[in-house]
């Protein structure tokens, strides 16, 4: 009933939103002699606030049209190169001769499946494009996936990551994987399984950014919330069915609008203050300030549903029982052994002021990867940076991204098979590529 009530509320408000939109246009119309008065500006700003608060926010576009490669403005072409029911693998193809002549490393960016779309990493992608061949997981809204396409849980997530890594490694070079926030656990699982199987396509490196590898270290509000109630409470109170006429009708999901509510609750004062400032900017006619606010909230308010099985397993395995950190994580009846990773370099990145993934939670990955030599471990803490600053903003572009780029370049590798059935030999890529 929860989801149905949400849909019915949207339907009921729709006529009021239409009326508000028409009224706003009348108040702002240049032919209206009172358009420039304080009263008209105030009323128009209030109507716009109402419209934005009640409208649906669809999936945003990446809107990355070009990047600079070797000083040349290079067009970006978005291509879907791999697809499954719950995810498309999106390639940002750099369409210029300069880009084609380079031998930049392939980077698989695993976006979080935590309520927002992959476009939340727009700034992350932009900063990586000049020196890397970038791919990103474009997760689909679970309410748009028919129930006939089956379920999707944490093991399926790891399967998807493995399949994408294998797809991108077909040319012989091992791909580099970046996991931003939530994907840290399934990416670690996927890499561990590939190492255990001696899969020649196993990644050359993992970069884990603000990921909850061990939530017992410096727990924050989301960690505590997940532990305060039994798993049955989450299943009975926040899991519901997708209503008709959505494509995913009857699929059990954790709705995006509930996730958005929890995001707002965590920083309510900050969001209220931002909207008060936005109202004042609209009254004053400060177009730049109003546009920046709207651009941020167009992204922030665009949310997607998560499958119930994925959501509940994440609560259980990651936050409540901490199975990977405890050495008890099972992937399809197999014990996951991160110690099997012997040549997959790991870099962890944390924000000093991260209020979602506390300091030490991501760094915990190094203690699990005991099979790696010291030279394959790297940890970096960005001073004064919060959770989103780890992968977006000026400090990401100027401080964090250059360190990740150097880490990836240092750990590039190709795979050549020595004898059939005898595993694979790792060859540093610098031995194979002319300077």
């Amino acid at each position: 009933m929860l989801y149905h009530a949400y849909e019915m509320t949207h339907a009921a408000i729709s006529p009021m939103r239409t009326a508000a939109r028409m009224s706003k246009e009348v108040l702002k119309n240049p032919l209206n002699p009172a358009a420039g008065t304080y009263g008209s500006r105030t009323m128009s700003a209030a109507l716009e606030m109402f419209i934005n608060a009640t409208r649906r926010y669809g999936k945003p576009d990446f809107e990355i049209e070009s990047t600079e490669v070797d000083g040349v403005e290079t067009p970006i072409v978005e291509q879907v190169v791999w697809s499954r029911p719950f995810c498309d693998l999106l390639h940002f193809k750099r369409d210029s001769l300069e880009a084609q002549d380079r031998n930049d490393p392939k980077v698989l960016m695993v976006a979080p499946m935590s309520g927002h779309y992959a476009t939340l990493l727009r700034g992350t992608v932009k900063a990586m494009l000049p020196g890397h061949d970038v791919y990103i997981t474009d997760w689909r809204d679970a309410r748009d996936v028919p129930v006939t396409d089956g379920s999707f849980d944490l093991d399926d997530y790891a399967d998807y990551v493995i399949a994408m890594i294998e797809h991108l490694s077909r040319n012989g070079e091992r791909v580099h994987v970046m996991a931003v926030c939530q994907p840290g656990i399934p990416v670690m699982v996927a890499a561990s399984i590939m190492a255990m199987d001696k899969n020649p396509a196993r990644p050359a490196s993992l970069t884990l950014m603000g990921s909850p590898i061990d939530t017992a270290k410096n727990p924050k509000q989301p960690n505590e919330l997940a532990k305060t109630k039994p798993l049955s409470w989450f299943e009975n109170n926040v899991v519901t069915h997708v209503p008709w006429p959505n494509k995913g009708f009857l699929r059990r999901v954790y709705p995006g609008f509930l996730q958005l509510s929890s995001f707002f609750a965590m920083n309510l004062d900050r969001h209220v203050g931002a909207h008060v400032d936005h109202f004042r900017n609209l009254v004053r006619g400060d177009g730049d300030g109003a546009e920046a606010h709207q651009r941020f909230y167009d992204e922030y308010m665009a949310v997607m549903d998560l499958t119930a099985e994925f959501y509940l397993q994440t609560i259980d395995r990651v936050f409540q029982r901490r199975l990977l950190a405890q050495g008890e994580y099972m992937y399809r009846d197999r014990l996951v052994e991160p110690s099997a990773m012997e040549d997959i370099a790991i870099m962890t990145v944390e924000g000093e002021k991260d209020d979602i993934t506390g300091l030490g939670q991501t760094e915990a990955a190094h203690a699990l990867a005991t099979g790696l030599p010291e030279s394959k471990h790297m940890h970096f803490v960005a001073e004064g940076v919060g959770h989103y600053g780890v992968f977006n903003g000026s400090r990401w572009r100027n401080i964090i991204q250059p360190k990740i780029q150097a880490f990836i370049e240092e750990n590039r590798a190709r795979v050549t098979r020595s004898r059939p059935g005898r595993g694979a030999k790792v060859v540093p890529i610098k031995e194979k590529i002319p300077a």
Side-chain angles (χ1 to χ4, degrees):
M1 292 299 295
L2 181 66
Y3 213 140
H4 289 81
Y6 173 77
E7 293 289 328
M8 290 175 64
T9 301
H10 258 291
I13 291 177
S14 181
M16 290 183 278
R17 189 166 53 248
T18 300
R21 189 176 291 111
M22 294 173 62
S23 300
K24 188 190 77 167
E25 293 302 321
V26 171
L27 289 169
K28 296 182 68 174
N29 194 304
L31 298 179
N32 180 1
T37 65
Y38 180 80
S40 290
R41 295 200 312 270
T42 302
M43 180 60 69
S44 176
L47 290 170
E48 184 162 336
M49 297 289 287
F50 172 78
I51 293 167
N52 290 334
T54 60
R55 72 180 176 91
R56 284 192 184 277
Y57 288 79
K59 178 184 176 183
D61 295 322
F62 276 97
E63 298 180 340
I64 302 177
E65 298 180 355
S66 65
T67 190
E68 190 172 293
V69 179
D70 290 338
V72 176
E73 192 74 11
T74 297
I76 296 297
V77 179
E78 293 183 19
Q79 300 175 322
V80 175
V81 297
W82 180 95
S83 185
R84 293 292 185 275
F86 290 91
C87 184
D88 289 328
L89 180 58
L90 191 61
H91 180 208
F92 296 93
K93 181 182 178 182
R94 301 172 301 171
D95 197 15
S96 72
L97 293 176
E98 287 75 16
Q100 294 170 13
D101 288 342
R102 291 171 61 96
N103 191 33
D104 291 328
K106 284 185 178 180
V107 172
L108 170 60
M109 198 174 290
V110 184
M113 183 185 275
S114 56
H116 284 111
Y117 291 95
T119 49
L120 191 67
L121 304 189
R122 184 184 294 105
T124 324
V125 173
K126 282 183 177 181
M128 295 295 291
L129 276 172
H132 305 85
D133 188 16
V134 180
Y135 299 76
I136 195 168
T137 56
D138 192 12
W139 301 108
R140 291 191 185 143
D141 190 337
R143 81 182 205 154
D144 293 330
V145 183
V147 292
T148 52
D149 284 329
S151 61
F152 184 86
D153 60 15
L154 271 173
D155 288 345
D156 295 314
Y157 197 126
D159 288 339
Y160 273 43
V161 172
I162 291 172
M164 286 184 277
I165 292 173
E166 291 177 335
H167 178 82
L168 295 179
S169 301
R170 289 178 179 176
N171 69 344
E173 180 179 347
R174 293 163 59 195
V175 71
H176 302 265
V177 182
M178 291 177 61
V180 181
C181 190
Q182 171 271 324
I185 292 284
V187 164
M188 279 282 287
V189 169
S192 299
I193 292 296
M194 296 181 81
M196 291 163 61
D197 292 342
K198 300 190 184 302
N199 190 326
R202 62 194 179 278
S205 73
L206 304 180
T207 301
L208 310 178
M209 308 170 66
S211 297
I213 304 300
D214 186 356
T215 57
K217 297 182 180 298
N218 193 17
K220 297 298 181 181
Q221 185 177 352
N223 313 140
E224 297 293 348
L225 177 63
K227 293 166 57 179
T228 55
K229 302 182 185 299
L231 190 64
S232 59
W233 183 92
F234 292 95
E235 184 167 15
N236 294 329
N237 289 275
V238 300
V239 169
T240 184
H241 291 88
V242 175
W244 185 85
N246 297 291
K247 292 180 180 178
F249 175 51
L250 292 182
R251 179 179 292 282
R252 294 177 72 237
V253 296
Y254 172 52
F257 65 85
L258 285 182
Q259 180 77 317
L260 184 63
S261 299
S262 67
F263 288 151
F264 272 106
M266 285 177 57
N267 296 287
L268 185 59
D269 291 345
R270 185 186 306 172
H271 289 295
V272 170
H275 280 79
V276 170
D277 291 341
H278 180 51
F279 177 78
R280 291 170 177 164
N281 288 336
L282 289 171
V283 174
R284 287 197 301 263
D286 181 357
D288 290 341
E291 182 181 354
H293 172 96
Q294 197 59 55
R295 189 166 54 248
F296 172 81
Y297 279 98
D298 281 349
E299 186 75 53
Y300 194 80
M301 299 282 282
V303 289
M304 56 187 285
D305 296 353
L306 310 179
T307 64
E309 55 274 15
F310 166 79
Y311 170 73
L312 293 172
Q313 281 187 0
T314 300
I315 295 290
D316 175 43
R317 297 185 185 183
V318 178
F319 293 99
Q320 293 189 347
R321 291 195 288 159
R322 302 169 37 246
L323 294 183
L324 189 64
Q326 298 280 66
E328 300 172 358
Y329 195 105
M330 301 296 293
Y331 161 85
R332 303 200 184 282
D333 299 323
R334 297 177 64 186
L335 181 65
V336 176
E337 302 176 25
S339 59
M341 293 187 288
E342 298 178 345
D343 60 359
I344 302 175
I346 295 179
M347 178 178 182
T348 52
V349 181
E350 296 181 329
E352 180 189 21
K353 296 184 177 180
D354 194 328
D355 60 351
I356 294 178
T357 307
L359 279 175
Q361 292 189 18
T362 310
E363 186 183 12
H366 296 288
L368 303 177
T370 56
L372 287 176
E374 186 176 349
S375 61
K376 292 288 184 180
H377 291 274
M378 181 176 178
H379 179 61
F380 177 71
V381 176
E383 296 182 0
V385 170
H387 186 72
Y388 292 101
V390 169
F391 54 90
N392 261 317
S394 59
R395 293 182 184 177
W396 150 249
R397 293 191 301 270
N398 300 326
I399 300 173
I400 301 171
Q401 192 277 335
K403 292 184 179 296
I404 293 175
Q405 181 166 337
F407 170 77
I408 289 174
E409 188 60 38
E410 183 179 348
N411 289 285
R412 294 184 70 179
R414 286 190 183 276
V415 172
T416 58
R417 289 194 175 278
S418 50
R419 295 181 185 176
R422 292 289 299 277
K425 177 184 177 183
V426 179
V427 182
I429 200 162
K430 292 177 182 177
E431 296 180 14
K432 305 294 289 185
I433 300 175

